[in-house]
Amino acid sequence: MFKALADPTRRVILDELTERDGQTLFELCTRLAMKHEVTSSRQAISQHLDVLEGAGLVTTRRDGRYKFHYIDTGPLRAIAQRWPVQT
Amino acid sequence: MFKALADPTRRVILDELTERDGQTLFELCTRLAMKHEVTSSRQAISQHLDVLEGAGLVTTRRDGRYKFHYIDTGPLRAIAQRWPVQT
DNA sequence: ACCATAGGCAAGTAGGCACTTGCATGTCAA
DNA sequence: TTGACATGCAAGTGCCTACTTGCCTATGGT
């Protein structure tokens, strides 16, 4: 999961899914290019999504030829638990 | 900061500093080798500490020929703020 | 059936990063 | 001052990873 968060593009993907959850690959590609100035290709974004899914930060749901991506911030809880953040 | 967290050895260093704060480079090397089975050399650990310090996750205090390392979990707050963790 | 759309697979490439190696600097004790 | 100790600097090496390229599969509309 930590390696998944290490890439700036993947973090922007999580930002975009936070703002609008359940996007398809193409939706993400266009919106990332528009609002976040991400120039990556479709394949690059797809591979990033695979990494995020492997890290448990993104879940997917298939419907016909569309695949929707949802953010899951659950794994992030482990960070604050591992290194207690004093308030 | 995210790249700093991406390396397993650096995360173990943070673990060790959580358990015992304010260690020197040599202390860390020996304790990491003992308890966490880290086989990295002194120089490797030193470079990791530089990265952690650059990420703001570790602060240092120099006293004579000793340099003490302290964990700072402050930057970790930004994670939960960026991607709200639902409870 | 045909075609466009949405996505997947896999090999190759370039750059970054962790680690080593060797030497240098600085500090303290005797 | 001399030697041992704690740390720092810098170049070189090998691996990992992000990205591209090219082609393939599958779904849905007409």
Side-chain angles (χ1 to χ4, degrees), chain A residues 3 7 9-10 40-41 43-44 47-48 64-65:
Chain A
K3 289 197 177 184
D7 187 86
T9 303
R10 284 196 287 267
S40 305
S41 68
Q43 289 83 351
Q47 289 169 1
H48 282 309
R65 58 176 163 176

Side-chain angles (χ1 to χ4, degrees), chain B residues 3 7 10 41 43 47-48 64:
Chain B
K3 289 197 176 183
D7 188 86
R10 285 196 286 267
S41 68
Q43 288 82 350
Q47 289 169 1
H48 282 311

Side-chain angles (χ1 to χ4, degrees), chain B residues 31 49 75:
Chain B
R31 290 174 69 98
L49 287 171

Side-chain angles (χ1 to χ4, degrees), chain A residues 37-56:
Chain A
E37 297 173 0
V38 174
T39 63
S40 305
S41 68
R42 178 185 63 87
Q43 289 83 351
I45 303 292
S46 176
Q47 289 169 1
H48 282 309
L49 286 171
D50 289 341
V51 174
L52 288 170
E53 188 173 6

Side-chain angles (χ1 to χ4, degrees), chain A residues 45-74:
Chain A
I45 303 292
S46 176
Q47 289 169 1
H48 282 309
L49 286 171
D50 289 341
V51 174
L52 288 170
E53 188 173 6
L57 291 166
V58 160
T59 60
T60 60
R61 182 175 60 86
R62 189 91 201 216
D63 184 22
R65 58 176 163 176
Y66 298 104
K67 188 177 182 184
F68 302 100
H69 301 266
Y70 303 89
I71 189 173
D72 180 8
T73 56

